Amino acid sequence: MSGHTDMVLVNDEGIRIDGRRVDEKRPIRIEAGVLKNADGSCYLEIGKNKVLCAVYGPRECRPRHLQDPTKAIIQCKYNMQAYSVNDRKRPGTDRRSVEISKLIAEALSSVVQLELYPRASIDVYVEILQANAGTRCAGLTAASVALADAGIPMRDVVPAIACGKADGNVLLDLNKEEDNYGQADVPLAIVPSTDEIVLLQMDGNMTREEFEHGLDMAFKAAHEVNEIQKDALRRRYTEISKKEGDSDE
Amino acid sequence: MEKRNARRTREIVVPGDVLGDSEEYRTGENAYESDGKIRALMMGLKTYTGDAVGVIPMGGCYMPVTGDTVIGIITDVGPSNWMLDINAPYPAPLHVSEVPWKVEFGDTSRFLTVGDVVLLKVLMVDEAKKISVTMKDSGLRKIEGGQLIEIAHSKISRVIGKSGSMIQMLKNMTDCRIFVGQNGRIWIDGDDENVEVAAEAVRIIEAEARSANLTDRVREYIEKKLPQSEGGDDEEESE
């Protein structure tokens, strides 16, 4: 959004620098239940992004003053590793990570049945191992899979994906170059069963027509992401039963 | 057992999956209704109970229910109560009036201290999920000796088996005293070797909870490990 470049982000045939078409998302790979010590976990790759997410709880809420006597709270911690970007990222909490943590927690709060666990806390840890634009979407996508893996009651598994604009074209799922040198970035997360929006931001400028076109693409892609999420969750349990079948120990 | 096998394998559902039409079915456990559709709240197995459709969860944390027998570990001692960890999201207080002894005010640590393991019954869970537990019932006591193992609470029903068949076989064949808490904790006491075998058998049950003919396979395993033990569902009643 900020810099300028001589790079051709989208060529005349509508092909982007990584070979995708304008309405094509990056390849996604999701694996649920990768961490043994967490109650639920998920590893996700979307393009060059690599995200690891762990969920604990519901457990007793600490610090006590954050407890809500009527429902559980979701405490999310989004963290980027020092080695996640080209130049070293200064470790620790910063303005951006606080924002994204809040965003993810709020998006998840709208699907998780928090009233079932008054005074408790559900802790979500999102670690970005490698970043290439779109990590808040990747983090939220991973977090909702990890929550489902932890057996926490929720209305739906939330998928998230971004759309945006670069070189005057409306694009789906921006990569780093398109994000840095493009004109707009719009992350979106939805509840697939009702098409409710649980996360929507816009950084940059788009016309109303461009915005609506982008949103249409993102909605369609989010439903596809949701299928991949559900598939990852189902796969986890068919794998377990397969293991049960062939071993006695 | 046989009847359950005869049924087609149950479908795995994840949150948000449609279980059925709300006109056709009632909303069962771990499900919710929206827009005329019944959807799953949890990952698990889709099941029909009567005219309701719901989900049997495949994980998640233990939520205490009134009347459950559980195994608790003391985490804190107060002047008139003990705090227990019963594997639930909340700590469970045990008041001095709910123990079988006469305890003077401030004298609690003479009876139970931090780290002690006790058998308990869940007395009440109110809507704020405040738990109260009691030791005043037959068979409830402090546990000494033996081994405590922890498994997923959703697998406890398999350890017990249909009308107690699995647990009865384990007790008879290994000659151990076994106590199963609804919160996923199992206490086993007996000869060292037998306890090892019983604990391993429980682990097998946990790992293979979803497969068929589990009782037979566990029996085979114990017979292999303990050749002297008699064939199972007969003879001596242990506890």
Side-chain angles (χ1 to χ4, degrees), chain B residues 24-42:
Chain B
E24 215 174 323
Y25 298 103
R26 278 188 308 113
T27 313
E29 272 181 19
N30 302 312
Y32 71 101
E33 197 216 308
S34 93
D35 249 356
K37 292 267 191 291
I38 297 172
R39 289 174 186 271
L41 268 179
M42 270 199 213

Side-chain angles (χ1 to χ4, degrees), chain B residues 13 16 21 23 33 35 72 86 118 139 171 177 202 209 224 226:
Chain B
V13 290
D21 245 30
E23 278 164 26
E33 197 216 308
D35 249 356
I86 58 164
V118 283
K171 282 176 179 174
R177 296 203 293 164
V202 171
K224 203 168 70 195
L226 297 171

Side-chain angles (χ1 to χ4, degrees), chain B residues 130-235:
Chain B
K130 289 230 193 297
I131 307 166
S132 48
V133 290
T134 180
M135 275 180 78
K136 272 187 170 172
D137 206 346
S138 61
L140 301 183
R141 62 200 155 85
K142 179 180 166 185
I143 290 175
E144 274 154 309
Q147 227 190 72
L148 189 67
I149 54 176
E150 224 166 275
I151 66 168
H153 79 97
S154 51
K155 311 280 168 66
I156 283 293
S157 56
R158 286 316 297 271
V159 176
I160 295 170
K162 212 169 212 167
S163 60
S165 58
M166 181 75 88
I167 191 71
Q168 208 55 53
M169 183 199 69
L170 277 178
K171 282 176 179 174
N172 291 341
M173 290 184 72
T174 60
D175 206 15
C176 285
R177 296 203 293 164
I178 303 176
F179 188 93
V180 182
Q182 292 294 324
N183 57 348
R185 292 201 178 118
I186 299 170
W187 172 74
I188 307 171
D189 191 21
D191 284 348
D192 284 353
E193 193 196 353
N194 290 357
V195 170
E196 280 303 311
V197 174
E200 193 50 48
V202 171
R203 298 242 173 269
I204 292 175
I205 298 169
E206 185 193 16
E208 303 178 18
R210 286 181 55 215
S211 52
N213 293 328
L214 196 52
T215 321
D216 296 336
R217 281 220 306 287
V218 173
R219 176 179 295 136
E220 263 168 49
Y221 170 80
I222 300 175
E223 271 166 4
K224 203 168 70 195
K225 291 279 176 173
L226 297 171
Q228 73 278 17
S229 76
E230 43 268 71
D233 43 15
D234 42 30
E235 272 127 324

Side-chain angles (χ1 to χ4, degrees), chain A residues 3-64:
Chain A
H4 286 280
T5 179
D6 301 330
M7 228 187 293
V8 180
L9 294 174
V10 184
N11 71 12
D12 300 335
E13 282 121 63
I15 300 294
R16 303 201 241 163
I17 51 170
D18 49 11
R20 286 185 289 158
R21 281 174 279 109
V22 288
D23 59 348
E24 202 174 337
K25 60 182 186 305
R26 292 173 283 185
I28 303 179
R29 190 167 78 84
I30 306 179
E31 209 174 312
V34 288
L35 302 171
K36 207 172 161 64
N37 294 336
D39 294 326
S41 57
C42 172
Y43 175 72
L44 177 141
E45 281 182 14
I46 172 160
K48 287 179 192 156
N49 288 310
K50 294 182 177 174
V51 182
L52 191 59
C53 178
V55 168
Y56 291 86
R59 60 184 179 186
E60 206 190 347
C61 181
R62 290 197 186 276
R64 280 283 272 282

Side-chain angles (χ1 to χ4, degrees), chain A residues 117-119 154-155 230 234 244, chain B residues 17 32 41 89-90 128 207:
Chain A
Y117 305 102
R119 303 197 316 285
M154 53 205 280
R155 272 160 56 217
K230 289 184 166 181
R234 282 195 201 99
E244 282 166 12
Chain B
D17 277 356
Y32 71 101
L41 268 179
Y90 314 99

